[in-house]
């Protein structure tokens, strides 16, 4: 799933991403341009909530040039041949607000950075707020971002959070196509 260009105010919820390598790309380029207009770090506002990432290798998501609120997602590994290396990959002017997520066993890195962010001078404007409400694997790699103690942006909505201890059961039962009844 790719979200790039001028796309903004997107919510991805109750999806299952399973047995995949490069799963989700947010922002096509470090200096993303659309019609020769340079997009700034407020170009995309994206929310990922109540998604189940099972045995995906990387890019859960890979985010740059965007504000992203990641909450109530379950990152798991069911030993099916794909080796989950990095969950959230942070690069070039990404502002990440991560809370109430579960990074299950089998995950190598909760967050991973990219040296291109530093070499292009974007580190000061690449921010991660990793809330204490996240659980599970806490290992990070290549921290080419600025860790902040307060959310780097304000979300324009209120959220109802699912207890992190319940995420695995709730998402395996309710996320994915055909799980919710459609009422007309």
């Amino acid at each position: 799933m790719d979200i790039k260009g001028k796309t903004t105010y997107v919510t991805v919820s109750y999806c299952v991403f399973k047995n995949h390598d490069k799963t989700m790309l947010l922002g096509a380029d470090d200096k993303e341009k659309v019609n020769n207009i340079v997009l700034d770090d407020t170009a995309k506002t994206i929310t990922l909530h109540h998604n189940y990432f099972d045995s995906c290798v990387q890019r859960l998501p890979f985010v740059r040039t965007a504000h992203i609120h990641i909450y109530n997602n379950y990152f798991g590994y069911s030993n099916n041949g794909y080796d989950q290396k990095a969950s959230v990959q942070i690069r070039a002017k990404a502002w990440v607000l991560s809370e109430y997520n579960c990074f299950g066993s089998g995950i190598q890195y909760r967050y991973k950075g990219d040296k291109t962010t530093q070499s292009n001078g974007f580190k000061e404007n690449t921010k991660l707020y990793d809330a204490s409400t996240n659980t599970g694997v806490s290992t990070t790699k290549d921290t080419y971002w600025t860790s902040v103690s307060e959310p780097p942006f304000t979300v324009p909505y209120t959220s109802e959070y699912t207890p992190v201890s319940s995420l695995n059961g709730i998402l395996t039962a309710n996320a994915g196509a055909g799980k919710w009844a459609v009422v007309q």
Side-chain angles (χ1 to χ4, degrees):
M1 171 180 277
D2 293 352
I3 301 172
K4 46 194 181 176
K6 289 186 177 182
T7 306
T8 191
Y9 299 112
V10 174
T11 298
V12 179
S13 61
Y14 289 94
C15 293
V16 174
F17 299 92
K18 186 172 184 165
N19 304 339
H20 204 279
D21 183 3
K22 296 176 180 172
T23 307
M24 184 180 291
L25 175 67
L26 308 179
D29 187 287
D30 289 353
K31 298 176 184 175
E32 190 167 39
K33 294 182 180 184
V34 175
N35 300 326
N36 294 320
I37 299 170
V38 177
L39 302 175
D40 66 15
D41 53 32
T42 62
K44 286 177 284 305
T45 301
I46 299 162
T47 303
L48 299 180
H49 74 88
H50 291 91
N51 295 294
Y52 180 37
F53 296 91
D54 179 17
S55 302
C56 297
V57 178
Q58 58 186 323
R59 297 185 178 183
L60 314 177
F62 180 104
V63 59
R64 55 186 164 197
T65 65
H67 289 179
I68 182 164
H69 185 202
I70 304 170
Y71 74 93
N72 275 151
N73 296 286
Y74 183 79
F75 301 87
Y77 176 67
S78 60
N79 195 18
N80 64 0
Y82 281 94
D83 200 11
Q84 193 150 340
K85 295 180 174 104
S87 291
V88 182
Q89 292 173 268
I90 304 166
R91 187 165 161 176
K93 298 194 287 183
W95 289 10
V96 178
L97 167 52
S98 174
E99 55 188 351
Y100 298 96
N101 297 293
C102 181
F103 297 88
S105 63
I107 307 299
Q108 244 180 336
Y109 305 109
R110 184 184 288 192
Y111 306 109
K112 183 178 181 228
D114 189 293
K115 65 183 175 186
T116 306
T117 295
Q118 183 165 322
S119 62
N120 285 339
F122 295 135
K123 182 174 181 177
E124 301 76 33
N125 204 18
T126 303
K127 301 175 184 181
L128 168 65
Y129 176 72
D130 180 24
S132 62
T133 55
N134 289 316
T135 65
V137 173
S138 61
T139 311
T140 59
K141 182 177 182 185
D142 302 330
T143 57
Y144 298 109
W145 60 76
T146 302
S147 291
V148 293
S149 58
E150 296 290 326
F153 62 96
T154 303
V155 294
Y157 49 80
T158 54
S159 304
E160 206 172 291
Y161 299 106
T162 302
V164 177
S165 60
S166 303
L167 284 176
N168 186 14
I170 288 172
L171 293 179
T172 54
N174 297 304
K179 299 283 181 101
W180 289 88
V182 176
V183 179
Q184 295 185 353

